Amino acid sequence: MVLGYQNNKIVLTANTREELENTPCMSFDRIEETDIEYTFYGGEYLTPEEVEVKEKEAQIASLKEQLVKVDEKSARSIRAIVAGTAMDDDRTFLANLETQAEDLRRQIKELQDTLGE
Protein backbone atom coordinates (compact mmCIF):
# COMPACT_ATOMS: atom_id res chain seq x y z
CA MET A 1 0.00 0.00 0.00
CA VAL A 2 1.20 3.49 -0.83
CA LEU A 3 0.15 6.52 1.21
CA GLY A 4 -0.16 10.10 0.03
CA TYR A 5 0.18 12.75 2.74
CA GLN A 6 -0.86 16.39 2.97
CA ASN A 7 -0.05 18.32 6.15
CA ASN A 8 1.16 15.09 7.81
CA LYS A 9 -2.22 13.42 7.27
CA ILE A 10 -2.97 10.52 4.95
CA VAL A 11 -5.35 11.83 2.31
CA LEU A 12 -5.17 9.11 -0.32
CA THR A 13 -3.98 5.53 -0.69
CA ALA A 14 -3.08 3.50 -3.76
CA ASN A 15 -1.50 0.24 -4.79
CA THR A 16 1.50 1.88 -6.46
CA ARG A 17 3.50 5.07 -6.14
CA GLU A 18 2.75 5.85 -9.80
CA GLU A 19 -1.00 5.82 -9.14
CA LEU A 20 -0.58 8.56 -6.54
CA GLU A 21 1.91 10.55 -8.61
CA ASN A 22 -0.54 10.53 -11.54
CA THR A 23 -3.65 11.42 -9.53
CA PRO A 24 -5.21 14.46 -11.23
CA CYS A 25 -5.60 17.68 -9.22
CA MET A 26 -3.69 16.31 -6.23
CA SER A 27 -0.28 17.03 -4.83
CA PHE A 28 1.31 15.42 -1.82
CA ASP A 29 3.81 16.59 0.75
CA ARG A 30 5.19 13.08 0.74
CA ILE A 31 4.44 9.62 -0.57
CA GLU A 32 5.51 6.51 1.29
CA GLU A 33 5.07 2.77 1.06
CA THR A 34 3.87 0.62 3.95
CA ASP A 35 2.97 -2.98 4.68
CA ILE A 36 0.06 -1.82 6.87
CA GLU A 37 -3.39 -2.02 5.28
CA TYR A 38 -5.04 1.28 6.17
CA THR A 39 -8.83 1.59 6.14
CA PHE A 40 -10.87 4.71 5.47
CA TYR A 41 -12.91 4.97 8.66
CA GLY A 42 -14.81 7.94 10.05
CA GLY A 43 -13.31 10.33 7.51
CA GLU A 44 -9.68 9.34 8.02
CA TYR A 45 -7.25 6.57 7.17
CA LEU A 46 -6.56 4.34 10.17
CA THR A 47 -4.60 1.20 10.91
CA PRO A 48 -6.58 -1.93 11.81
CA GLU A 49 -5.61 -1.37 15.46
CA GLU A 50 -6.88 2.21 15.38
CA VAL A 51 -10.16 1.06 13.82
CA GLU A 52 -10.55 -1.52 16.58
CA VAL A 53 -10.04 1.17 19.24
CA LYS A 54 -12.56 3.50 17.58
CA GLU A 55 -15.13 0.70 17.35
CA LYS A 56 -14.67 -0.26 21.00
CA GLU A 57 -15.00 3.40 22.03
CA ALA A 58 -18.26 3.58 20.05
CA GLN A 59 -19.50 0.39 21.74
CA ILE A 60 -18.68 1.85 25.16
CA ALA A 61 -20.56 5.04 24.34
CA SER A 62 -23.58 3.03 23.18
CA LEU A 63 -23.54 0.88 26.33
CA LYS A 64 -23.33 4.01 28.50
CA GLU A 65 -26.37 5.45 26.70
CA GLN A 66 -28.26 2.21 27.39
CA LEU A 67 -27.24 2.40 31.05
CA VAL A 68 -28.66 5.93 31.32
CA LYS A 69 -31.95 4.69 29.83
CA VAL A 70 -32.09 1.84 32.36
CA ASP A 71 -31.50 4.36 35.16
CA GLU A 72 -34.27 6.61 33.83
CA LYS A 73 -36.74 3.70 33.82
CA SER A 74 -36.22 3.16 37.55
CA ALA A 75 -37.41 6.60 38.67
CA ARG A 76 -41.12 5.81 39.19
CA SER A 77 -40.51 2.61 41.15
CA ILE A 78 -37.91 4.32 43.33
CA ARG A 79 -40.35 7.14 44.07
CA ALA A 80 -42.94 4.57 45.11
CA ILE A 81 -40.44 2.89 47.45
CA VAL A 82 -39.40 6.21 49.00
CA ALA A 83 -43.05 7.23 49.40
CA GLY A 84 -43.88 3.88 50.99
CA THR A 85 -46.41 3.00 48.30
CA ALA A 86 -44.35 0.41 46.42
CA MET A 87 -45.81 -2.91 45.42
CA ASP A 88 -44.04 -6.19 44.75
CA ASP A 89 -44.13 -5.33 41.03
CA ASP A 90 -42.05 -2.22 41.74
CA ARG A 91 -39.38 -4.24 43.54
CA THR A 92 -39.35 -6.91 40.82
CA PHE A 93 -39.11 -4.24 38.13
CA LEU A 94 -36.15 -2.60 39.91
CA ALA A 95 -34.43 -5.97 40.40
CA ASN A 96 -34.73 -6.66 36.66
CA LEU A 97 -33.38 -3.21 35.82
CA GLU A 98 -30.46 -3.74 38.19
CA THR A 99 -29.64 -7.03 36.46
CA GLN A 100 -29.62 -5.20 33.12
CA ALA A 101 -27.46 -2.41 34.56
CA GLU A 102 -24.97 -4.91 36.01
CA ASP A 103 -24.65 -6.59 32.62
CA LEU A 104 -24.11 -3.24 30.88
CA ARG A 105 -21.49 -2.19 33.46
CA ARG A 106 -19.72 -5.54 33.03
CA GLN A 107 -19.62 -5.11 29.24
CA ILE A 108 -18.31 -1.54 29.61
CA LYS A 109 -15.58 -2.68 32.00
CA GLU A 110 -14.51 -5.53 29.71
CA LEU A 111 -14.19 -3.16 26.76
CA GLN A 112 -12.37 -0.55 28.83
CA ASP A 113 -9.96 -3.22 30.08
CA THR A 114 -9.08 -4.14 26.49
CA LEU A 115 -8.33 -0.47 25.83
CA GLY A 116 -6.23 -0.16 28.97
CA GLU A 117 -8.51 2.46 30.55
Side-chain angles (χ1 to χ4, degrees):
M1 175 172 270
V2 183
L3 311 174
Y5 287 83
Q6 291 177 342
N7 297 319
N8 290 320
K9 184 173 181 152
I10 302 169
V11 294
L12 196 61
T13 64
N15 293 319
T16 67
R17 180 178 202 86
E18 292 76 27
E19 284 180 69
L20 286 182
E21 290 172 342
N22 295 322
T23 303
C25 304
M26 293 283 294
S27 64
F28 303 99
D29 299 333
R30 75 178 195 273
I31 295 174
E32 63 182 42
E33 293 186 36
T34 182
D35 293 332
I36 300 169
E37 286 295 320
Y38 281 78
T39 302
F40 193 70
Y41 183 91
E44 59 186 334
Y45 287 98
L46 302 174
T47 65
E49 294 80 15
E50 292 169 327
V51 170
E52 184 178 350
V53 167
K54 294 274 188 184
E55 288 178 348
K56 286 181 180 181
E57 289 171 344
Q59 286 177 312
I60 290 169
S62 174
L63 291 168
K64 286 181 176 181
E65 287 175 17
Q66 292 175 50
L67 190 56
V68 167
K69 290 178 183 176
V70 167
D71 288 343
E72 290 171 350
K73 290 179 184 178
S74 67
R76 201 219 46 84
S77 293
I78 290 172
R79 281 194 318 271
I81 290 170
V82 169
T85 61
M87 303 175 104
D88 288 340
D89 288 347
D90 291 311
R91 289 178 183 81
T92 301
F93 183 71
L94 285 176
N96 289 336
L97 289 178
E98 186 54 31
T99 300
Q100 291 175 32
E102 287 172 359
D103 184 52
L104 291 168
R105 287 190 292 267
R106 180 192 51 76
Q107 291 178 58
I108 291 167
K109 183 181 181 327
E110 287 174 1
L111 286 167
Q112 288 173 332
D113 288 348
T114 65
L115 294 174
E117 292 182 9

